Amino acid sequence: MNITALKDFAIVVGGLVTIFAFVNGLLEYRRQGAQKRVEHFTMLRRRLKENPVFKEICALMFDDDPRLADFSPQDKRDFIGLLEEVALQVNSGLIRPELAHYMFGYYTVKCLESKDFWANLTLDEVYWNLFYDFAREMKAKQESHVFRREKLRF
């Protein structure tokens, strides 16, 4: 084997190792991104399900219970704020719209449509634009919903 062949062999091996390391780095970066999205989603879901006030609001929304009017405006604003955080994460690409609809869409639409929930709040306030836009998007998804398991992922 001459020196030129050895040099060419070393260049090819070095190139392959570089490509392998680059592809492996990209895959790891993608996995970490998915892991962060899972953490954000889990935190939102936990806040919805573990907060006693939110838990009660969700339970009462199933029947559009008139007791929704009894909640303090602050509790309702906090609940809407959580749904707006979901909307922000959808807008930022951290949560897929299909996943947001599947896990939060029902409550978002129910919240929008409940007269009792809005009893001591006003829906037309300028600060509810993100919520209102997100709720309309979730309602449209609800009306045209076709379950596709492959869409429900991080």
Side-chain angles (χ1 to χ4, degrees):
M1 207 181 223
N2 64 17
I3 193 91
T4 307
L6 190 58
K7 180 181 79 165
D8 291 343
F9 178 74
I11 289 172
V12 169
V13 169
L16 289 174
V17 168
T18 302
I19 290 171
F20 175 77
F22 179 73
V23 168
N24 196 32
L26 283 177
L27 291 173
E28 182 59 29
Y29 179 74
R30 189 172 178 209
R31 277 185 289 243
Q32 286 179 1
Q35 182 180 2
K36 288 222 180 265
R37 288 191 299 276
V38 168
E39 289 169 6
H40 284 281
F41 174 80
T42 303
M43 178 192 66
L44 286 171
R45 188 77 175 152
R46 187 173 291 140
R47 283 177 50 206
L48 179 69
K49 294 297 184 180
E50 291 179 3
N51 181 315
V53 174
F54 294 173
K55 200 173 182 178
E56 189 175 358
I57 288 173
C58 289
L60 294 175
M61 279 193 188
F62 278 108
D63 299 320
D64 195 19
D65 195 300
R67 289 179 290 172
L68 285 167
D70 299 336
F71 284 88
S72 76
Q74 186 58 50
D75 287 341
K76 293 177 183 182
R77 281 193 293 271
D78 290 344
F79 185 78
I80 294 168
L82 175 70
L83 296 175
E84 285 185 321
E85 286 180 43
V86 174
L88 285 171
Q89 290 198 16
V90 168
N91 293 347
S92 301
L94 293 173
I95 298 176
R96 291 174 178 262
E98 296 83 8
L99 185 60
H101 170 255
Y102 190 76
M103 300 305 263
F104 298 97
Y106 177 82
Y107 302 114
T108 305
V109 172
K110 284 295 207 177
C111 182
L112 176 70
E113 295 175 342
S114 173
K115 287 182 174 69
D116 294 313
F117 182 87
W118 294 96
N120 50 5
L121 295 173
T122 349
L123 182 58
D124 60 353
E125 287 185 32
V126 70
Y127 298 109
W128 301 133
N129 286 335
L130 179 59
F131 167 76
Y132 190 62
D133 185 60
F134 181 61
R136 284 186 300 185
E137 180 185 350
M138 292 297 105
K139 187 171 175 100
K141 282 195 175 301
Q142 179 179 338
E143 291 169 355
S144 65
H145 179 67
V146 175
F147 178 74
R148 290 161 120 185
R149 182 177 179 201
E150 68 275 3
K151 292 282 191 178
L152 299 179
R153 62 187 175 89
F154 297 100

